[in-house]
Amino acid sequence: SDKEAADAFAKTLADDCAGNDGSELRVECAGGDISLCSTRDEIFKVLDSMTENDDRRLAVLVHNAGQYVGITSDNSDGIQAGKTLSFGDGSLVDEEGRTNFDTMHYYQRMYGEAFVDLCERSLLRMGSIQNGGGGSIVGISSPGVCAHYYGPDWSYSMPGSGKSLMEYSMRIYAAKVSERGINVNVIIPGVTKTLAWKRLAKKRGLDDESQMMEGIVERSVPLKKMTTPTDIGNTVKFLCSESGKFLTGTVLPIDGGLHLKR
């Protein structure tokens, strides 16, 4: 949702990874709401433009989209932050006695539908190990969705309704594409320090997110340490490496032990 930041990171990444022999890393950004098919069309349009003149294949797909709707990012449906919606407590029922699915459907498009669409299109571009293809697919989920490590989190009912499809379909994809040399997994981050927490803290009337995050870590994370984006990146790197390719169909909690208390 921050094009300037994305473009700046892309440039830094390209500069940092430039080879000593003068070779360059090409980094392209395609922005938009991942819940929209048009955004995903643009992503693959950019990807295909990068490989149209050679026989390179897609090697890695990572679905890392996420937000608290109406709090940490804008959304194409214009949904605003309100009361926490949960299954079973009447919060989904409107004044006319009908169940309002707007927020749930948005999360399902952003997480479940987008993950399936990205997987289907990516698999067309990966080939198989028999013809020099193969690859890796990684989804980023959340605690309390459907992995057996966590108990259900009622406050995460709406996002969880979408990510449960991600976790379930991941297992099917893993079974279907293993013979092509493609592994498919899901990572579950712990309490991860990102700008989303700053926006969430502001919504709750707090000047700084640090105290809120530190309290959660102290109560819930046995290692007493926040997860960092680098922790997640290193795990993705491992799963996509030769050392990690034997792992497939798994849900990996990278959370400092958070799952032990959930």
Side-chain angles (χ1 to χ4, degrees):
S1 60
D2 190 333
K3 185 178 186 304
E4 289 185 2
D7 288 339
F9 176 75
K11 183 179 186 307
T12 299
L13 184 63
D15 291 344
D16 289 348
C17 295
N20 294 328
D21 58 357
S23 60
E24 296 182 353
L25 173 69
R26 181 178 172 186
V27 182
E28 299 282 353
C29 294
D33 187 330
I34 196 67
S35 73
L36 299 176
C37 185
S38 58
T39 298
R40 303 191 293 270
D41 289 344
E42 182 63 23
I43 290 171
F44 286 100
K45 179 181 177 181
V46 170
L47 173 64
D48 290 342
S49 73
M50 299 171 72
T51 59
E52 61 185 353
N53 295 321
D54 55 49
D55 58 357
R56 289 179 298 169
R57 294 184 178 273
L58 179 64
V60 175
L61 162 69
V62 180
H63 181 299
N64 190 36
Q67 64 168 285
Y68 278 102
V69 167
I71 297 177
T72 59
S73 180
D74 296 329
N75 59 83
S76 60
D77 285 9
I79 298 172
Q80 301 297 312
K83 63 181 179 181
T84 300
L85 301 176
S86 173
F87 301 124
D89 63 2
S91 57
L92 288 171
V93 180
D94 64 21
E95 294 178 354
E96 297 180 354
R98 296 188 179 93
T99 303
N100 186 327
F101 291 105
D102 291 349
T103 300
M104 187 177 81
H105 285 167
Y106 179 78
Y107 275 117
Q108 289 177 341
R109 294 200 313 274
M110 177 172 58
Y111 293 137
E113 182 180 308
F115 181 72
V116 170
D117 188 19
L118 292 169
C119 285
E120 293 292 335
R121 300 201 214 191
S122 294
L123 289 170
L124 293 175
R125 293 162 170 83
M126 283 184 169
S128 68
I129 196 169
Q130 289 80 10
N131 62 12
S136 298
I137 295 174
V138 182
I140 309 297
S141 189
S142 297
V145 179
C146 67
H148 69 275
Y149 301 105
Y150 303 89
D153 180 354
W154 67 267
S155 68
Y156 208 69
S157 295
M158 298 300 99
S161 71
K163 289 195 173 181
S164 60
L165 174 55
M166 174 191 286
E167 291 187 25
Y168 180 74
S169 64
M170 173 273 293
R171 293 172 171 83
I172 305 299
Y173 281 119
K176 289 274 191 176
V177 302
S178 58
E179 291 185 356
R180 293 172 54 183
I182 300 170
N183 66 328
V184 190
N185 296 283
V186 162
I187 292 171
I188 302 182
V191 183
T192 308
K193 189 171 179 59
T194 65
L195 286 176
W197 283 95
K198 184 182 292 292
R199 294 167 182 164
L200 184 61
K202 183 178 180 180
K203 188 71 177 178
R204 294 181 179 180
L206 302 174
D207 295 329
D208 180 74
E209 77 279 10
S210 299
Q211 186 174 359
M212 178 175 65
M213 294 186 70
E214 289 167 2
I216 295 172
V217 169
E218 182 64 30
R219 292 190 304 272
S220 305
V221 181
L223 287 181
K224 308 301 181 188
K225 177 182 177 293
M226 294 181 195
T227 306
T228 68
T230 299
D231 293 328
I232 306 306
N234 286 340
T235 306
V236 171
K237 180 181 177 181
F238 169 72
L239 290 173
C240 300
S241 70
E242 285 303 314
S243 297
K245 290 296 289 290
F246 201 59
L247 246 64
T248 194
T250 62
V251 175
L252 299 175
I254 308 301
D255 63 5
L258 174 67
H259 63 282
L260 299 174
K261 294 195 173 184
R262 292 290 294 275

